Amino acid sequence: MRKQTPSQTVGPFYAIGMTRKPMNVMATEATQGQRIRVEGQVFEGDGVAIPDVMVEIWQANAYGRYNHPDDKQEKPLDPSFTGWGRSGTDEKCFYNFETIKPGPVPGNEDSVQAPHINFVIFARGMLVHAYTRMYFGDEAGNESDPVLDSIKNKARRRTLVATRDEQNGKPVYRFDIRLQGGNETVFFDM
């Protein structure tokens, strides 16, 4: 009987091979909707920001429609917005995206999901990437969102809600992601 070889950790290679070409500016002058900036850091369980992290996001457009063939809604499709972006962390361990605030999307059984952005996190030492989503702290629809409502521990729901600020007259949403610990971000199986 042969023994398996031990697993190897992943990275550090994101800054070298995957994030060299910036893909974090998702909105152009032609993109419809409210321009926003999303930024944050990814933290270990001990509260230290992690370098060399790659964050990908995908989201609906301002009308609440995804740029994907499976989204058959009658809502407009914005040809200038793919809804996908990738950002590596900088020298201060921050990721950021220049995008638009998405519209609400349909949920299961005629429910409506509040505007949100889907995230996937890749970091050194993680053999499986982590999926989560970000909600907007200033969005009234969060109260009735079926995904937020599915999180039974109400205190944990706040780990998915970004705080809003303004920089140079532009909305900036801060969304920090904690991989472990007491304030661990809620992650989803995909």
Side-chain angles (χ1 to χ4, degrees):
M1 182 180 218
R2 293 188 299 170
K3 291 178 82 176
Q4 283 186 316
T5 57
S7 296
Q8 300 295 313
T9 61
V10 178
F13 61 82
Y14 298 112
I16 297 168
M18 303 284 292
T19 60
R20 187 173 288 172
K21 179 183 173 196
M23 293 182 255
N24 61 332
V25 178
M26 299 162 57
T28 68
E29 290 297 319
T31 306
Q32 301 164 25
Q34 178 189 18
R35 272 132 185 89
I36 62 170
R37 179 181 175 91
V38 175
E39 65 183 21
Q41 294 175 296
V42 179
F43 293 94
E44 294 177 0
D46 59 4
V48 175
I50 305 170
D52 195 31
V53 173
M54 184 174 73
V55 177
E56 290 182 352
I57 65 172
W58 66 101
Q59 68 176 82
N61 67 21
Y63 301 105
R65 183 172 177 189
Y66 287 95
N67 188 351
H68 191 278
D70 288 343
D71 190 337
K72 307 272 190 230
Q73 297 180 79
E74 295 295 322
K75 297 175 182 176
L77 188 60
D78 184 347
S80 70
F81 187 71
T82 65
W84 180 86
R86 174 184 286 163
S87 175
T89 51
D90 64 17
E91 64 280 350
K92 294 182 181 177
C93 300
F94 274 89
Y95 71 85
N96 71 80
F97 294 94
E98 300 293 330
T99 186
I100 51 98
K101 190 171 183 182
V105 298
N108 294 333
E109 301 175 14
D110 297 324
S111 65
V112 176
Q113 297 181 45
H116 63 275
I117 298 177
N118 300 294
F119 277 69
V120 62
I121 298 90
F122 303 82
R124 65 178 76 183
M126 289 177 59
L127 297 177
V128 178
H129 35 276
Y131 293 92
T132 192
R133 54 171 49 185
M134 181 199 95
Y135 288 88
F136 299 88
D138 57 352
E139 187 62 48
N142 292 348
E143 295 301 317
S144 60
D145 182 83
V147 176
L148 278 174
D149 193 48
S150 73
I151 301 166
K152 299 307 176 203
N153 182 338
K154 291 185 180 187
R156 302 252 308 124
R157 294 177 189 178
R158 67 178 167 70
T159 68
L160 300 179
V161 180
T163 56
R164 181 185 167 143
D165 197 5
E166 275 201 30
Q167 293 176 7
N168 302 320
K170 181 178 179 180
V172 176
Y173 290 90
R174 176 74 186 252
F175 185 60
D176 290 331
I177 300 164
R178 288 168 171 61
L179 297 178
Q180 299 174 336
N183 292 318
E184 178 181 329
T185 301
V186 172
F187 296 103
F188 300 97
D189 293 331
M190 297 305 254

